[in-house]
Amino acid sequence: MNGGARPLAIDDDTHIAERFLASIVESSDDAIITKDLNGIITSWNRGAERIFGYQADEVLGKPISILIPEDRENEEPTILKRLRNGERIDHYETIRRRKDGRLLNISLTVSPVRNARGVIVGASKVARDITRRKRMEAELLTAKEELARANEELERRVSERTASLQRAISQMEEFSYSLSHDLRAPVRAMKGYASAALEDHGAQLNKEVSEYLHRIVRSGARMERLIHDVLTYSQVARAVIQLQPVFIDKLVPDVIREYTELQPPNAEIAIRHPLLPVMAHEASLIQVISNLLSNGVKFVPPGILPRIQVWTEAENGRVRLNVQDNGIGVKQEYQNRLFGMFERVHGHLAHEGTGIGLAIVRKAVERMGGQVGVSSDGQNGSRFWVELPAAK
């Protein structure tokens, strides 16, 4: 062994450990305080200075009660009693007072301190400032309470509006009944009497009176179509929609067979098979297809044979059904209005229509979870499209 060196003694190790522990205590962000069993402060670290605002020389030898608000003075005797019994107190949340009088939320951990003989002679107290955490908890609780109140208010409004909607639906049903019974009867009577007058006395009537009666007949027929279309729109809006696979490849030819105006020599409709299946409500989709095909036949220049092409395209789990016609087209500025109720963008032209057909198409497609649109240069026909979920 080198004669110039000496081995470390046990006392040296103890001294190093004590200095290391003291260094940890001093550098801690928490307040680390010791006190005797009478509550007198015996040590005070820098964390305690920062949290409570007292310098060590201001508190050493003084009772710990200088940190305790008046309404919590009963806490210290209880803590000292538990310490004398050898109990440890973990994360006890309470209120303590700084030197400047400001109150802090504190989390305390208090442990008994024993001497070399194992006798409890004091306590070590670790205090952590949890004021910010408590403030955030209070703000969170306030936010939760406000959210609960907002939810209650929302539920109340939803309930009120649901009741209002139910009343509106009931009124709509009453209106539909009135349309189908109270309005149709006088319209049919008016048209019927005018037709009878023309048939029985047409030869004796002058030209002006005869034209008035013809106008009555035509207006009555248009009113009947309008009533029919409004009823159809109402039914589409209220119908229970249950989606299932629908095979358009079969549906389109079936629709064409139902309407003579869609068949030769009145029109030529070319289908690009196969038409892909979709998830839809079959009755609603029949209404959509028949309206689009009828529009394609109806809105063509005089003397032109309606020619329509029908095909489908698949993309991203959806199917787009296209109906391309050779009609008069739709100008760009009118295309956004085209699917609204009573919108007749060609009202100045000699084309029959009530302005509800495409509104029925839009409502039916939306209720099936789809979209509808039109593409046209305003001169060379139009391509109407309907997009629906693809059937697996």
Side-chain angles (χ1 to χ4, degrees):
M1 180 178 295
N2 190 337
R6 68 178 183 86
L8 287 173
I10 294 176
D11 288 345
D12 293 332
D13 288 340
T14 302
H15 185 62
I16 291 171
E18 288 175 349
R19 282 191 300 168
F20 181 67
L21 181 60
S23 175
I24 292 174
V25 168
E26 278 302 302
S27 62
S28 174
D29 288 334
D30 295 331
I32 301 177
I33 306 164
T34 59
K35 61 183 180 180
D36 63 22
L37 290 180
N38 294 316
I40 302 301
I41 299 171
T42 56
S43 73
W44 185 266
N45 75 335
R46 290 178 184 173
E49 292 178 355
R50 180 183 59 81
I51 292 174
F52 294 110
Y54 291 99
Q55 298 298 311
D57 57 5
E58 295 180 277
V59 294
L60 291 176
K62 294 185 178 179
I64 197 74
S65 58
I66 64 173
L67 305 177
I68 301 176
E70 290 77 3
D71 60 344
R72 292 181 178 266
E73 288 178 348
N74 62 332
E75 291 181 356
E76 184 63 15
T78 303
I79 291 173
L80 290 173
K81 181 179 179 181
R82 293 176 63 180
L83 287 170
R84 290 189 185 99
N85 293 330
E87 292 184 45
R88 173 187 168 94
I89 300 169
D90 285 315
H91 308 298
Y92 175 69
E93 294 186 1
T94 185
I95 303 294
R96 292 295 180 259
R97 185 173 50 211
R98 281 175 50 88
K99 180 181 179 181
D100 59 14
R102 185 158 53 94
L103 298 179
L104 303 175
N105 292 97
I106 296 293
S107 174
L108 292 177
T109 297
V110 188
S111 306
V113 174
R114 301 174 188 271
N115 62 17
R117 297 188 301 277
V119 178
I120 297 173
V121 294
S124 170
K125 180 179 293 188
V126 179
R128 174 165 295 178
D129 183 359
I130 57 171
T131 303
R132 184 169 178 270
R133 192 194 84 193
K134 283 293 187 180
R135 184 171 62 250
M136 292 176 65
E137 288 176 354
E139 291 172 354
L140 180 60
L141 180 60
T142 300
K144 286 181 177 178
E145 291 172 350
E146 290 176 354
L147 180 60
R149 287 194 295 270
N151 283 338
E152 290 176 2
E153 176 66 13
L154 180 60
E155 288 176 3
R156 183 185 65 78
R157 290 185 181 182
V158 168
S159 178
E160 289 177 355
R161 292 185 182 181
T162 300
S164 176
L165 180 60
Q166 289 172 340
R167 288 193 296 270
I169 291 172
S170 177
Q171 291 168 359
M172 177 64 78
E173 290 173 347
E174 292 174 6
F175 176 67
S176 299
Y177 179 86
S178 176
L179 276 178
S180 60
H181 293 83
D182 300 341
L183 291 182
R184 272 182 170 175
V187 168
R188 285 173 176 168
M190 176 182 66
K191 190 178 72 168
Y193 283 127
S195 297
L198 284 170
E199 290 176 7
D200 296 343
H201 307 287
Q204 291 102 29
L205 299 173
N206 64 43
K207 184 176 180 182
E208 186 177 12
V209 172
S210 178
E211 176 57 25
Y212 287 158
L213 290 173
H214 278 294
R215 287 184 184 181
I216 292 172
V217 172
R218 289 196 298 270
S219 296
R222 186 173 184 276
M223 178 62 79
E224 280 192 321
R225 289 194 301 274
L226 182 60
I227 292 170
H228 174 270
D229 285 351
V230 170
L231 284 172
T232 301
Y233 184 88
S234 175
Q235 289 163 0
V236 167
R238 299 195 327 266
V240 177
I241 297 294
Q242 185 173 0
L243 303 186
Q244 59 185 9
V246 176
F247 298 94
I248 305 180
D249 216 30
K250 178 179 181 302
L251 204 63
V252 172
D254 287 348
V255 170
I256 293 171
R257 281 192 291 269
E258 287 291 322
Y259 298 92
T260 56
E261 67 267 25
L262 302 180
Q263 302 167 16
N266 300 310
E268 291 182 2
I269 299 179
I271 302 173
R272 300 183 199 172
H273 294 284
L275 300 178
L276 301 173
V278 295
M279 294 298 293
H281 179 246
E282 185 167 324
S284 298
L285 189 55
I286 290 172
Q287 184 76 54
V288 167
I289 291 172
S290 62
N291 281 20
L292 291 180
L293 293 178
S294 295
N295 266 20
V297 169
K298 185 187 303 177
F299 293 97
V300 293
I304 300 297
L305 177 68
R307 289 186 170 88
I308 298 174
Q309 296 185 59
V310 181
W311 74 96
T312 56
E313 301 167 321
E315 185 176 356
N316 297 328
R318 298 178 75 80
V319 169
R320 177 171 287 194
L321 171 66
N322 299 279
V323 178
Q324 174 79 52
D325 62 49
N326 64 335
I328 55 180
V330 182
K331 291 182 179 179
Q332 182 71 35
E333 60 264 31
Y334 297 137
Q335 290 177 13
N336 289 336
R337 295 170 39 199
L338 196 59
F339 295 93
M341 283 284 284
F342 304 111
E343 291 287 357
R344 299 188 67 223
V345 298
H346 301 303
H348 63 289
L349 300 176
H351 296 285
E352 292 292 334
T354 61
I356 304 178
L358 289 177
I360 292 172
V361 170
R362 177 185 59 82
K363 177 60 70 175
V365 172
E366 287 178 352
R367 295 212 62 206
M368 291 186 286
Q371 293 178 304
V372 63
V374 62
S375 175
S376 175
D377 62 4
Q379 296 178 340
N380 302 301
S382 305
R383 178 177 64 86
F384 287 86
W385 54 265
V386 169
E387 196 172 272
L388 291 167
K392 294 182 181 179

